[in-house]
Amino acid sequence: MADKKLQFAIYWAASCGGCDVAILDVNEKILDIAAAADIRLWPVAMDFKYKDVEGWADGEIDVCLFNGAVRNSEQLHLARLLRRKCKVMVAFGACACFGGIPGLANLHDRKSIFEAVYGYTASTVNPEGTTPQPHLKVPEGELTLPVFFDDVYSLSQVIPVEYYVPGCPPTPDTIMTAVTAIVTGSLPPPGATVASDKSVCHDCKRKKSDKPTIKRFHRPFEIVPDPEQCLLEQGFTCMGSASRGGCGALCPAVNMPCRGCYGPMPGSLDPGADALAAMTSILAASDDATVAAETARLLDPLGTFYRFTLPVSVLGRAPKAS
Amino acid sequence: MEPRVGVFVCHCGTNIAGVVDVARVAEAARTWANVVHAEDYKFMCSDPGQAMVKQAILRHKIDRVVVAACSPRMHEATFRKACAEAGLNPYLFEMANIREHCSWVHEDKQAATLKAIDIVRMAVAKARLLEPLETRSVKVEPKALVVGGGVAGIQAALNLANAGIKVVMVERQQSIGGRMAQLDKTFPTLDCSACILTPKMVQVAQHPNVTLYTCAEVEEVSGYVGNFDVTIRRKATYVDPDVCTACGICLEKCPKKTTSEFEEGLTTRKAVYRLFPQAVPGKPVVDRESCTYFVNGKCKVCERFCEPKAFRWDDTDKVVHERVGAILVATGYDLYDASALGQWGYGRFPDVITGIEFERLNNATGPTGGRILKKDGTEPKSVAILHCVGSRDRNYKEYCSRVCCMYSLKFAHLLREKTAATVWNFYIDMRCFGKGYEEFYNRLLHEGVKFVRGKAAYVTDQPANDDEKGRLVVSAEATTLGEVLRVPVDMVILASAVTPQPDAPAVARRFGMSLSPDGFFMEKHPKLEPFSTATDGVYLAGACQGPKDIPDAVAHGAAAASTAMALISRGEVEVEAATAQVTEGACSGCKVCQDICPYAAIGFDGPKKVATINPSLCKGCGTCVATCPSSAIVGRHFTDQQVLAQISALFAG
């Protein structure tokens, strides 16, 4: 590999673009990456056409960093195409790894989402009821739009994936660890996640009591947190104990409860259930009425506990309307 | 190596085979992956049945055994032992419950057979993934703790002590004796309660193998079967028992009176007191709450008259640590607060009294010197005894309190003997089930007592005619007559329900016990082990497990003692191997598991910052496994993989 530069592809699917920006967050080290690798595809930064990718030989690209979830026909097509063209496929960021925030669309289906977006969200102004059409004839020919799916998928649910780089987005340290491993050829066994095997709590400096209890659930804006004490014990729905570390516990360090973007712990079947079981187990309530009152303060438990992981959880999605 | 599973399907006579086609279950099992042998037999738990398992293990080189029979609570131990005898690790055995979970609850034979096949397929799926586990033995400390000094606790302590086992007895009050000490006569023999109890009280206190702590409570229990560490708080009594001669002069001279709990508030006691004249130990203690010196800062009259100078005003609570192998909980019962039962007038009408108050009225050492008197000092001309006050009533306690019928009959007898009063018993059913009880009832039928089969609805002082003026009127439907009676009386005795002690939930937590729906401590098995709890080494004696009369409480105490004795004389005990285990690499020290363990088995390794589980304490209940947010605790013998395999097998059918 020393005499030939590595061939990189960076692609985005159902994502916000944050993962692409995160790559730039490595600052001047981006120059090291550029020195070691040719970036052959990076739609967010440069202009590429489908035919560029289609023109590559199978396996021509060494590594693809694929960010975003897969939720429409175009994303699925590109995922499959890139899989063929790339030797190593890396699910990059929480959406590619677990479905991420777009994965919460699994609470609904394609039809209800479509109706909401073009019909009645608070910011929708559409008096004529104009909606996008999948096909449009123009003088030059027919234009088509990709087809949305009912489900949002993580990358490994649609193609085989070698490595996982979690985070929303992955921190610069995590990115450099992954890139360095690729460049130096010191990759872990396939299937590995480039992050810690311990939870966020392990890296969190906050003080934990011997018998943690939650007296009342709070949302971050409701009270000013004590800067020293464990956020979970202060009643914040901190996902730290149920989430893979490797981020350096950045959020709790600045009074923000962990949102769980590095995904489930190794061996976890369902990170949302893990966190929910833990938090309700230590809720200091001795009677049913208190339990009901306090858990009623847990607003949007599904969006809280499965914020990044709904598509890969045991739940997977809400039951379909049919 | 691929596992080799053997499946054995039990007929359990017709218990299973009457509903489930057992041969078809075995036949289905033969078609599954890894099942190398399957057969059915009439009684798998019998000696020939067990021999079949052992032979098949050797003949077919089986290394995973599934027996489809009854609940593992019945025979898991039997088959584990059979496996071990054939050289197989006992944890490579899995039980499929096709009796309680299937044949006993279904009538449709076809569907029940299909369900039994599902259940067995799930067990096989788990069995494939079973891993051998090693059991361990721990030494048993040859000492027992008895909590509560009522008659059940006394009997238990005496049996243990007489067997040469050291006993620590802890009693919350100043004296042992418990409820029985408050009673006057006992049914049906009418012998004097104190006369038969006090010799036992003295025996236990003087026994060389017994250490008695009164005015003391168990504060904390840690450890496990055979090795409990118990923290006992001995409250300050302000009297040095080694110096005090129990002369009793302080009891005379103390100027401060307060309500007597032993006399149920019917009279007073002094601020320095013994619970009752025959109290054991007999040395008085100072009640700090009411003592004038502690309230106002001066008095100490008692000290001036105390010749041996036994008062210690700077006395403080002492904490004692004891290590014991077994714990016998004999914390007794309480009585339903009759003032919460407004319709019967307790608290509103002075001459509506409770049964235990009547016991004291009738007692020679009681507030009236044993004379049955109304509050105005006159003898009642008629008395109503109301059964089932708070018992057998969905609004209060659903259960039968078991002793009320008999003591109500006893009260009726005593009233007829001591007074000229007309006596009425208002009852739902007469429950006279013990030895000599029915005979006692028959005797009472000939003593001129009026029995009304009907529960009293209310007691009122509002007269409906001249005869009722100034009297208490009991209203009840006489169900045998089919009419509503109004009976004017001078005194009403309420047979209030026997209830769990108010602090039973806290005590249950302290000793790792649970409560049954009625609030009493839960026994391990309602029929076969009513004296054991789900926590090994913790036993139940007496009415803390449920209402009991004296002979039952004594028998229960003796049974608990003999079970504890068996444990202690065995000298060592095997502890469960299917425990939870922390994967240190995954544990991030969030401590969420610390307080949720019902058996206090989880500790924390400070330097490593990881949770630790004491395998001797762990019961393998799985609470921490489910709670651990980091998936860092494995429930051995019930791993995620094993449970998931069972679920997958269920849906693979």
Side-chain angles (χ1 to χ4, degrees), chain A residues 251-267:
Chain A
C251 296
V254 292
N255 280 350
M256 188 49 79
C258 170
R259 295 153 60 87
C261 72
Y262 269 49
M265 286 291 291

Side-chain angles (χ1 to χ4, degrees), chain B residues 153-402:
Chain B
I154 288 173
Q155 184 65 48
L158 279 176
N159 282 22
L160 287 160
N162 287 338
I165 293 164
K166 297 278 179 203
V167 176
V168 178
M169 177 177 262
V170 176
E171 166 57 50
R172 176 145 66 183
Q173 290 189 300
Q174 180 271 332
S175 168
I176 56 171
R179 284 286 178 189
M180 188 176 167
Q182 283 182 289
L183 308 182
D184 180 53
K185 298 281 187 292
T186 60
F187 60 76
T189 47
L190 299 174
D191 38 5
C192 153
S193 187
C195 309
I196 56 175
L197 177 67
T198 47
K200 277 180 175 289
M201 290 162 60
V202 173
Q203 260 181 55
V204 82
Q206 292 183 347
H207 203 292
N209 285 340
V210 177
T211 309
L212 176 61
Y213 297 126
T214 50
C215 296
E217 283 192 72
V218 175
E219 251 185 3
E220 210 184 316
V221 178
S222 61
Y224 48 89
V225 56
N227 295 275
F228 293 105
D229 288 308
V230 184
T231 308
I232 300 159
R233 177 171 292 271
R234 302 185 63 189
K235 295 195 197 79
T237 61
Y238 310 101
V239 175
D240 186 339
D242 297 332
V243 177
C244 173
T245 57
C247 69
I249 187 94
C250 57
L251 305 174
E252 281 170 35
K253 298 298 178 185
C254 173
K256 181 62 193 289
K257 288 180 177 174
T258 187
T259 312
S260 165
E261 53 274 64
F262 185 81
E263 298 294 349
E264 292 294 323
L266 295 174
T267 183
T268 56
R269 63 159 166 82
K270 296 295 183 64
V272 54
Y273 74 106
R274 55 170 85 108
L275 210 54
F276 50 100
Q278 311 96 311
V280 173
K283 293 169 185 176
V285 299
V286 176
D287 167 14
R288 192 186 166 105
E289 301 296 310
S290 53
C291 169
T292 308
Y293 168 69
F294 283 113
V295 175
N296 294 336
K298 55 185 174 195
C299 178
K300 297 192 182 175
V301 169
C302 48
E303 192 174 32
R304 259 186 282 151
F305 290 92
C306 180
E307 258 184 51
K309 304 285 170 225
F311 285 90
R312 300 286 177 270
W313 302 105
D314 57 354
D315 193 14
T316 52
D317 288 6
K318 290 175 203 69
V319 171
V320 186
H321 297 279
E322 294 278 359
R323 170 165 275 227
V324 297
I327 296 175
L328 290 82
V329 178
T331 49
Y333 66 95
D334 199 9
L335 290 160
Y336 207 104
D337 175 10
S339 56
L341 307 165
Q343 63 271 47
W344 291 294
Y346 184 84
R348 282 188 292 140
F349 311 132
D351 289 315
V352 177
I353 62 171
T354 63
I356 195 80
E357 287 171 13
F358 182 80
E359 294 283 359
R360 296 315 304 155
L361 276 190
N362 197 48
N363 191 284
T365 64
T368 55
R371 295 176 60 208
I372 300 165
L373 300 175
K374 296 199 297 172
K375 287 283 171 7
D376 66 7
T378 61
E379 215 168 70
K381 293 192 178 60
S382 61
V383 180
I385 303 168
L386 276 44
H387 295 222
C388 297
V389 171
S391 309
R392 303 185 68 198
D393 185 333
R394 266 188 291 177
N395 299 312
Y396 308 108
K397 300 289 181 186
E398 214 177 327
Y399 54 81
C400 165
S401 290
R402 280 181 109 248

Side-chain angles (χ1 to χ4, degrees), chain A residues 73-94:
Chain A
S73 56
E74 188 238 10
Q75 291 156 358
L76 179 62
H77 172 69
L78 260 293
R80 287 177 174 161
L81 188 62
L82 285 165
R83 175 68 274 188
R84 243 185 24 238
K85 305 294 181 189
C86 306
K87 290 193 191 101
V88 171
M89 180 58 71
V90 179
F92 189 86

